[in-house]
Amino acid sequence: MVSPDFTRSTPGWSFALFAASSIAGVVGALLSKDAPLRARNLVLFGINCSGIYRYLICRKKRPGEC
């Protein structure tokens, strides 16, 4: 995701929105019994969780600090 660093919370909330869509994708894949789609959405959910941690939970100004 490309986002200017005006605030730390804007990209964090974007990651939260994408995490919610990943959860919906996992649920849809479970209902349709589509294992590759479920695996892809689980990987995306993990990436989104790392973004949420970096931009919403950690809140350090320098990327190497967290």
Side-chain angles (χ1 to χ4, degrees):
M1 178 171 70
V2 178
S3 176
D5 198 12
F6 295 129
T7 65
R8 299 291 284 177
S9 64
T10 302
W13 287 112
S14 299
F15 277 113
L17 177 67
F18 290 139
S21 68
S22 295
I23 291 171
V26 168
V27 170
L30 283 171
L31 292 175
S32 66
K33 297 180 177 69
D34 190 357
L37 182 62
R38 182 178 63 233
R40 184 194 70 179
N41 282 312
L42 285 172
V43 169
L44 290 174
F45 180 71
I47 292 169
N48 291 327
C49 286
S50 69
I52 291 169
Y53 175 76
R54 180 177 177 190
Y55 289 105
L56 289 179
I57 297 172
C58 185
R59 292 189 183 258
K60 300 288 184 185
K61 287 295 180 187
R62 286 179 269 177
E65 290 183 358
C66 220

